[in-house]
Amino acid sequence: MPGNNYNCNPSTPRSRLERLLRERELRRSNRVLHPTEDGNRQAELLGNDNFLTEGENFGLSSEEDFPEGVAAAKAFADGCEWKEGRTPKQRLLVVANRLPVSAVRKGEDSWQLEMSVGGLVSALLGVKEFDARWIGWAGVNVPDSVGQKALTKALAEKRCIPVFLDEEIVHQYYNGYCNNILWPLFHYLGLPQEDRLATTRSFQSQFDAYKKANQMFADVVHKHYLDGDVVWCHDYHLMFLPKCLKEHNNKMKVGWFLHTPFPSSEIHRTLPSRSELLRSVLAADLVGFHTYDYARHFVSACTRILGLEGTPEGVEDQGKLTRVAAFPIGIDSDRFIRALELPQVQEHMKELKERFAGRKVMLGVDRLDMIKGIPQKILAFEKFLEENLNWRDKVVLLQIAVPTRTDVPEYQKLTSQVHEIVGRINGRFGTLTAVPIHHLDRSLDFHALCALYAVTDVALVTSLRDGMNLVSYEFVACQASKKGVLILSEFAGAAQSLGAGAILVNPWNVTEVAASIGYALNMPADEREKRHHHNFMHVTTHTSQEWAATFVSELNDTIVEAQLRTRQVPPLLPIQVAVDRYLQSSNRLLILGFNATLTEPKDTLGRRGGQIREMELKLHPDLKEPLKKLCDDSKTTIVVLSGSDRSVLDDNFGDYNMWLAAENGMFLRLTMGEWMTTMPENLNMDWVDSVKHVFEYFTERTPRSHFELRETSLVWNYKYADIEFGRLQARDLLQHLWTGPISNASVDVVQGGRSVEVRAVGVTKGAAIDRILGEIVHNKGMKAPIDYVLCIGHFLPKDEDVYTFFEPELPSSEAPPTVPRPMAANPAMTSVPRISTTKSGSRAARLKKQRSLSTLEKRATVHGIGNAWRPTLMRDKMSLHEGSSVLDLKGDNYFSCAVGRKRSSARYLLGSSDDIVTLLKELAEGS
């Protein structure tokens, strides 16, 4: 296949799964063929192993400085040269809040850089297909240009690109919005409760700083971006970044990954900027989370808060699909396994075994943070000691609690609480020579931590809420000989991956955790070995390198899928071309939909203006003047073709000189004349009452739903109801309809995005347009044929036959069928009075009496002479499309446009009613 980089297999993968499997096999084969290259690259960069442990970032000032998984990443190795026969590397711009480097200024133009390596960088170093560069804040304020140039030059050697933020931005964006608003909310701690008034007042300024900082990150990305680069944005600090990037370059490949939990929609909806952040993230092509639960919460938030469509693939908005998926991060397990063979680690292990000889070792390694559940862990251990006297001098708990955000009062209070509990337990159960808990308020270096993992019998992870928690992975990687037991909180993301081999607990249930400690300490060796084997296989196969490669591979394939979908999507309307053709024509026909076409933009869930107000369809105020000008142009005929009731069209367009076609064209009038019916004689409406009863029943059962009783159809709308409940109710309603009222009726059921409509068979806009066209031509006494047609609407798929009606190249055999209409000799012209719908019992009978011949057919009978225009019947469609006196339409003079629907049979697209305002204003100015 031309342009295909992978020519090893002659067969071309066609589906997304086939492409991803091919990519996966290629990665694995490359690693087998070149196993040492990546290790050499890491060794060259890292030198020795005196760096911090992966995932938890011990020794750093706070988790927010280096978010878990991402923040631990510190440096990149230089990309190797392309080799003949090797696949060239893909440039990857990794954008995170902090660079993987700490910078210390040593002079006016000199800097000292301190590097440390963790999850994300290890992942990227291990994937040879990437030529990675890191973009982020260096963690220091550099106000002078000399210092900025010197730091930029120093960081360039480490493949890092700085973003310079001033102190005020850092305070408002980082300390304020990120750490004080988003981080607590995403960990289910809620918005700040204390000093609520001050928080409310400062919230907007913090959010403005957040957006400004994200734009500054975007500016740096734009400066270094090259065509074909992949931009990978990380964490809650940069939720606004995908939108900033896409607004600058819509073709940019953008992925976003969250390293914390994503809360349920009920939590997220409390955030004042909830909608803006969600829409900004949705600008990315691929959105990734650690677990399926987090991905499900995100899709649910988009559905419930934004009113968008959630699919198994992600979130769809007007035809654009943002893929949402789970990508559990891993660790570089080989690094931990190799470290156990190092002499210094062996020496540490020997010391620890001698120190705790004769006692089982339990281990906790956490940041001293509210979400880590350290008090709960210690209290559970106390309960275990209370209930198991024989274990009091046979077990020891080693708790490593790395201080974080020591200047924050809440953290200071937590530290005091933990110290108080530890002191009380040691005083109660300790002796002069031994205490049950060894608590350290500091970090350990990598070698000491590996040794501690290796000698541990039971690891205890009791996070109250954790994005992933890689301590559990690190413990498993170091347990090849000991085969210890992992007790893991069900609220940690790692529980989704290691749950089969670990003992899962609810950390809030102290009794359960204490019982699990006893079970783990007494677990038989064979069960320990089976559990460890399961977890060890997962940790060693789902590595950080595999995680990074999988995400980028999925992102690349998401772009391919989007391109395939784009080929099936109509292009945007070339407005200037449409205007030029309009000006060059002499007899123009404009067919315009109403709802979501000429109306004001609305909030999808009816919050801004209220449901009652939004249910009242109103003409867009900016369209009143352009429509007036167009209607006054003698060369232009305007038809508003809508499914709405006649009264709605009268209220909005009664003052304009145009044609109104209500209820999908079943009722027609010139605004200066009377309403008349175009309904066929044999249209059966006997089903109306029974369907009405079903709709009434489901309206009562579905809060905020409503139904409309029209003269030729009934519509049940659940747009403002709870999205998921509305869908369930709609499914139930359809089952009731098909098995009851309409089982033998001649009706069509038309399903909209959030509606169910029942209408008589054959009632569509396309089926009515020929009758409408004939009436217009006769009324105006047209001498010149129509040579320009512009058809715009937000129509249901069932009604999109109106687009294909005017296609000049459409064969007669494919022309949309019209409803058969009998010819009659009654010369009377019938105007249709308004029909009251208050009493539905006799409504069908009244409709039946009024349903005589269409006015077009009657007029054809009256004027049955040779030169009169005759209404177009099905047999006449061929002459109509081949250019009779009614239409002389060339392909270049026909513009059909769908509004806000990317899956359409129309020739072109318009994004929203704002685009229609622009178009009609230009047409009006030309007129």
Side-chain angles (χ1 to χ4, degrees), residues 625-636:
E625 186 176 342
L627 274 180
K628 183 72 168 57
K629 290 183 179 179
L630 290 171
C631 290
D632 293 342
D633 186 349
S634 60
K635 295 182 179 180
T636 303

Side-chain angles (χ1 to χ4, degrees), residues 52-57 72 118-119 122 330-332 335-336 470 474 544:
L52 305 177
T53 182
E54 224 167 314
E56 292 298 316
N57 315 306
S122 296
I331 63 171
D332 183 2
R335 173 171 157 241
F336 285 86
L470 296 179
E474 296 167 358
S544 54

Side-chain angles (χ1 to χ4, degrees), residues 689-709:
D689 288 339
S690 55
V691 172
K692 175 176 175 287
H693 292 319
V694 175
F695 279 12
E696 285 176 340
Y697 173 72
F698 278 90
T699 300
E700 293 170 1
R701 291 180 58 198
T702 312
R704 298 190 73 185
S705 69
H706 65 279
F707 81 95
E708 299 176 54
L709 183 61

Side-chain angles (χ1 to χ4, degrees), residues 258-287:
L258 182 66
H259 293 266
T260 68
F262 192 90
S264 73
S265 59
E266 291 301 305
I267 296 292
H268 185 77
R269 72 192 304 174
T270 63
L271 185 65
S273 55
R274 57 194 182 184
S275 298
E276 205 167 352
L277 287 180
L278 288 176
R279 289 199 178 277
S280 300
V281 171
L282 287 175
D285 300 292
L286 176 63
V287 176

Side-chain angles (χ1 to χ4, degrees), residues 753-888:
R754 306 261 166 76
S755 66
V756 177
E757 180 177 0
V758 180
R759 61 170 77 154
V761 169
V763 176
T764 67
K765 291 179 172 66
I769 194 65
D770 63 334
R771 304 193 290 272
I772 296 171
L773 182 63
E775 179 66 24
I776 293 173
V777 171
H778 178 87
N779 182 279
K780 295 187 72 170
M782 286 186 179
K783 303 297 183 184
I786 296 172
D787 59 355
Y788 178 94
V789 174
L790 174 64
C791 183
I792 305 175
H794 181 80
F795 300 136
L796 295 171
K798 180 78 175 176
D799 293 319
E800 287 204 340
D801 54 357
V802 69
Y803 295 140
T804 57
F805 179 87
F806 290 98
E807 288 291 350
E809 69 276 14
L810 190 67
S812 59
S813 60
E814 297 180 14
T818 59
V819 181
R821 299 180 300 281
M823 301 297 293
N826 184 358
M829 170 66 73
T830 305
S831 65
V832 182
R834 290 198 190 285
I835 300 172
S836 172
T837 59
T838 55
K839 294 183 180 180
S840 61
S842 59
R843 181 175 180 279
R846 289 198 301 273
L847 275 174
K848 194 169 184 180
K849 291 179 181 178
Q850 295 159 356
R851 198 172 304 112
S852 57
L853 302 177
S854 94
T855 57
L856 308 185
E857 291 157 359
K858 294 171 184 173
R859 184 162 291 132
T861 305
V862 174
H863 303 276
I865 48 181
N867 60 354
W869 188 89
R870 192 164 60 85
T872 307
L873 300 178
M874 188 180 299
R875 61 178 177 271
D876 300 317
K877 186 67 65 64
M878 187 171 186
S879 63
L880 175 66
H881 280 279
E882 289 184 352
S884 66
S885 61
V886 180
L887 286 174
D888 184 17

Side-chain angles (χ1 to χ4, degrees), residues 602 605-618 704-706 720:
K602 298 178 182 178
L605 298 183
R607 290 197 184 91
R608 237 188 341 256
Q611 175 182 344
I612 301 301
R613 180 180 174 185
E614 292 194 358
M615 285 170 60
E616 299 177 3
L617 298 179
K618 295 293 183 183
R704 298 190 73 185
S705 69
H706 65 279
Y720 302 101

